[in-house]
Amino acid sequence: MLRALSRSRLWVVLGLGALLLLPSLWAQAQLTVGRQQEADAVKQVEAELQLKREQLHIHETRLNAELERMRLDVRVAEERVQLVKQRLNRLDPRAAAQVPGSAPPLTTEQRLEQLERKFDLVLKELTALRQQRSVARTAEKGFIPLDLQAKTNHKRRDSFQRGRYPGNTLASLPSGEQTFHGITFQVGEGVIQLGSTQLQDKPAQVTGIPVGKKFSKLHILHATGFFLGEQATPIGVYAVQYEDGTSLTIPIVYGMDVLDWWKYPANPEPTRGKVAWEGENEGARGFGATIRLYLTTWENPHPAKTVTSIDYASTMDTECAPFCVAITVEEP
């Protein structure tokens, strides 16, 4: 009887132990399944990227072949023009006009113009393809530059701040894909310039900068025109608009995020932002100054939510006139 009781107690203990181990085993199984799903998703993305790279390579090879063919056509046409000119030089002008099959110079020039136009089209297509490959490589790194050009209202090569000082431009800033502090930006021909008490002809805000993505970080390349003596002064905001109708604001604080884009030798650096680029222009050089842009990085507290757009606004109550050159989002 005692042995029977001992066996019963043993089975009870073993049963309780199994019940206690079941949740742990279930959690371990779920974790294994989750890891396998993540690995499958990564493999799928890598396969898609590899397919896109192969397609771009094939397209580029085709365009390069077409470009070489066009160059050959141009060389052949030029040689024909030289032969026609040599023949015409040897002939009397009146006789040359009656030579059967001789091509008038105007027709030859038209042919050359047609070839040049085709040549330009191929070059433009090849440039567009290279830009697509550049964007694809950037996306692989997790950085996706936003296209601001539809919202820009000032050209980099035009003088800033009412054109008060000739040559006061951002022409020395390289265009296209640029990397600052390891972050890829797309620098276009235009910037978004906001107004201030000193710049009344520019808007107080520009809304609806398109995003349409989820991201973990927002990287902003920007600055402000005009100097402000008081540090830690708000001069504007970026308002992040989420798909669910909510929004968050990113303050732009003078002295912390940005400073005047004109930099004198004794000027400090921002306490929160970073100096991203330094250059020069004719207007600033006349006062012994250089120019610079600043980098602001914002951590998105809701990386799982889609951001539809960003609004950019100036407080309009200081002399500072904020301007934005480029924005890049970083995927989670």
Side-chain angles (χ1 to χ4, degrees):
M1 187 173 187
L2 290 175
R3 288 182 180 177
L5 287 174
S6 297
R7 288 198 199 96
S8 298
R9 289 175 182 174
L10 178 60
W11 284 111
V12 169
V13 170
L14 290 174
L16 289 174
L19 288 174
L20 291 173
L21 285 173
L22 277 176
S24 176
L25 293 173
W26 173 256
Q28 184 66 31
Q30 291 295 102
L31 181 60
T32 302
V33 171
R35 287 176 177 172
Q36 184 61 43
Q37 290 175 345
E38 290 179 358
D40 293 342
V42 169
K43 288 181 180 178
Q44 182 178 357
V45 171
E46 290 176 347
E48 292 175 355
L49 285 173
Q50 181 61 28
L51 178 61
K52 289 181 180 178
R53 284 196 291 267
E54 292 174 356
Q55 291 173 344
L56 286 172
H57 178 69
I58 293 171
H59 194 31
E60 184 179 22
T61 302
R62 183 183 66 80
L63 283 175
N64 282 328
E66 180 69 14
L67 184 61
E68 187 60 33
R69 187 185 67 79
M70 294 299 300
R71 286 173 176 160
L72 180 61
D73 287 345
V74 170
R75 287 197 296 269
V76 171
E78 289 175 345
E79 291 173 358
R80 288 178 180 175
V81 169
Q82 292 299 323
L83 287 173
V84 171
K85 286 181 178 179
Q86 291 173 5
R87 289 174 183 174
L88 289 175
N89 288 335
R90 291 195 300 265
L91 295 172
D92 182 79
R94 288 174 296 177
Q98 298 177 2
V99 175
S102 63
L106 182 60
T107 303
T108 304
E109 291 174 0
Q110 288 175 343
R111 172 62 176 165
L112 282 174
E113 289 176 359
Q114 290 176 355
L115 289 173
E116 287 174 356
R117 284 195 294 269
K118 290 180 180 179
F119 188 74
D120 289 340
L121 287 174
V122 172
L123 280 178
K124 289 179 181 177
E125 190 173 354
L126 185 59
T127 300
L129 176 62
R130 285 171 176 166
Q131 290 177 347
Q132 291 175 8
R133 291 189 67 183
S134 175
V135 170
R137 287 195 300 268
T138 300
E140 288 180 31
K141 299 175 185 176
F143 297 119
I144 304 177
L146 302 183
D147 186 0
L148 307 185
Q149 295 310 297
K151 296 293 182 178
T152 59
N153 58 1
H154 188 88
K155 299 295 184 183
R156 288 189 301 108
R157 298 182 181 276
D158 293 342
S159 286
F160 282 69
Q161 283 80 58
R162 305 189 305 270
R164 183 176 178 183
Y165 304 111
N168 187 29
T169 73
L170 265 175
S172 61
L173 174 66
S175 62
E177 184 180 302
Q178 303 296 327
T179 301
F180 305 111
H181 288 288
I183 300 162
T184 304
F185 291 94
Q186 188 67 30
V187 177
E189 291 303 312
V191 304
I192 303 175
Q193 174 70 74
L194 300 181
S196 70
T197 58
Q198 288 289 328
L199 203 63
Q200 295 289 335
D201 62 331
K202 294 298 183 182
Q205 63 177 347
V206 171
T207 61
I209 300 170
V211 180
K213 295 177 178 61
K214 299 175 182 178
F215 60 82
S216 60
K217 294 180 182 179
L218 188 71
H219 305 286
I220 306 168
L221 185 66
H222 58 163
T224 184
F226 301 109
F227 174 79
L228 189 63
E230 298 178 5
Q231 302 292 302
T233 301
I235 63 172
V237 296
Y238 293 91
V240 178
Q241 308 294 334
Y242 292 99
E243 191 175 41
D244 61 3
T246 59
S247 65
L248 287 175
T249 58
I250 307 169
I252 309 168
V253 182
Y254 189 89
M256 297 177 67
D257 302 300
V258 296
L259 292 163
D260 183 7
W261 72 308
W262 276 28
K263 193 264 182 185
Y264 293 93
N267 286 158
E269 295 192 359
T271 58
R272 184 164 56 191
K274 298 178 181 178
V275 175
W277 173 83
E278 294 186 80
E280 59 180 20
N281 66 34
E282 181 183 348
R285 194 184 304 119
F287 291 85
T290 57
I291 57 176
R292 59 185 181 179
L293 299 175
Y294 307 93
L295 169 66
T296 291
T297 295
W298 178 71
E299 295 268 358
N300 183 6
H302 306 295
K305 293 166 62 172
T306 298
V307 175
T308 57
S309 62
I310 297 172
D311 299 336
Y312 182 36
S314 167
T315 61
M316 295 297 289
D317 59 2
T318 72
E319 295 184 359
C320 289
F323 62 89
C324 179
V325 176
I327 299 177
T328 290
V329 298
E330 184 175 343
E331 291 184 322

